[in-house]
Amino acid sequence: MKEAIKVIISGGGTGGHIFPAVSIANAIRELQPDAQILFVGAEGRMEMQRVPQAGYDIKGLPIRGFYRPLWKPQNIGVAIDYLKSKRLAKQILREFQPQVVVGVGGYASSAALGAANSMGIPTLIQEQNSFAGLANKQLADKAQKICVAYEGMERFFPADRIMLTGNPVRQSLLSAKVTREEALKSFGLDPAKKTVLLIGGSLGARTINESVLQHLDLIAGSGLQFIWQTGKYYSAQIAEQLKGKCPANLVVTDFISDMAGAYRAADLVISRAGAGSISEFCLLGKAVILVPSPNVAEDHQTKNAMALVNHDAALYVKDADAPATLIQKAVDTVKDDARLATLSKNILKMALPDSATIIAKEVIALAQNAH
């Protein structure tokens, strides 16, 4: 009888790394129900809560990101933590004995995959962005497979190991059966009216929030309705600013737990340009205005956004221009049915479905070859 495969999945730090990691784990389990899967994350980061909630064990490493510029004295402590993390990662690998280690980007993956490389354990990398992250670029030389979501990634990685798979997304979004009417009613909105959804990630996006606050009159008189996720970080401050001024056609919430319903309700989405979000918009065929965050490594969100804009599959507003122009652009776009239809049709063409299953099959193949 074949021995059950053992897989370690490492990475995290943001939802953009964690959702794909959990989706891959779920897909492995679906194909091999007896597979043993262990996550390795960074202590104190989001994955330490989210992964156990998804039903998987996780071990934390004391790893953190380097300060920029690199010569800052605090980086001595960061380097010491990295060495400690790599030692701990080796210990975890020795005890768990995986046949393959999967990295999804983020601090923890550099220690876990670095340890796997030094111990001769096969590795697979999943890169979500159109501009490769530092950890993945450093680990690519020794990886057996590199799963990417965008064309042209051979400028970062060895071409013979790249596989275009797309980004795994939250299964719940694709399996949701809710109708547009039901979704709008759940937000207390009118199914007869066009709806704009504004999301800035789980923590919120200050620029998108400022854009709304500066144009409450335009929103009130637009004849449209808006769902606005402010993010938990900004919610108290925004509630204070909206006192007595919130238009009746603006639903304000700090966090949307039912994203499937929110997407279904929306005729147009306004969002940051994180790779995971973009993959969701592609698979759901959502017309979207992207406002890339300028506060990310190598400005990778702008590169993600332009990969769609160049195919007329999304609209783009620069972060610095958003407070002045974003809401007007949204109002004009959502009233133009032909424009919405074109954006929706073009973004759907860029979707890469079944990513999690395709990646899971590669992981299983590597594990079986390692036996």
Side-chain angles (χ1 to χ4, degrees), residues 77-154:
V78 177
I80 290 166
D81 282 347
Y82 174 78
L83 294 172
K84 202 189 295 178
S85 296
K86 201 163 169 187
R87 201 167 59 240
L88 268 171
K90 279 187 175 172
Q91 196 179 320
I92 292 166
L93 293 174
R94 272 196 293 269
E95 284 168 10
F96 189 71
Q97 296 193 318
Q99 287 95 17
V100 61
V101 178
V102 178
V104 294
Y107 318 136
S109 67
S110 61
L113 272 77
N117 289 337
S118 68
M119 294 165 74
I121 299 168
T123 59
L124 176 144
I125 290 172
Q126 197 259 328
E127 173 56 63
Q128 292 104 31
N129 289 293
S130 61
F131 195 93
L134 192 60
N136 281 349
K137 278 194 284 195
Q138 288 170 337
L139 296 163
D141 276 351
K142 299 218 169 112
Q144 272 67 28
K145 266 282 186 287
I146 302 159
C147 298
V148 300
Y150 292 90
E151 306 270 0
M153 296 303 283
E154 50 282 344

Side-chain angles (χ1 to χ4, degrees), residues 244-267:
K245 288 192 292 191
C246 189
N249 59 337
L250 177 64
V251 173
V252 186
T253 176
D254 65 339
F255 183 73
I256 298 169
S257 52
D258 178 21
M259 274 316 292
Y263 282 149
R264 198 76 193 88
D267 297 282

Side-chain angles (χ1 to χ4, degrees), residues 16-27:
H17 290 309
I18 298 161
F19 294 133
V22 170
S23 296
I24 294 166
N26 291 342

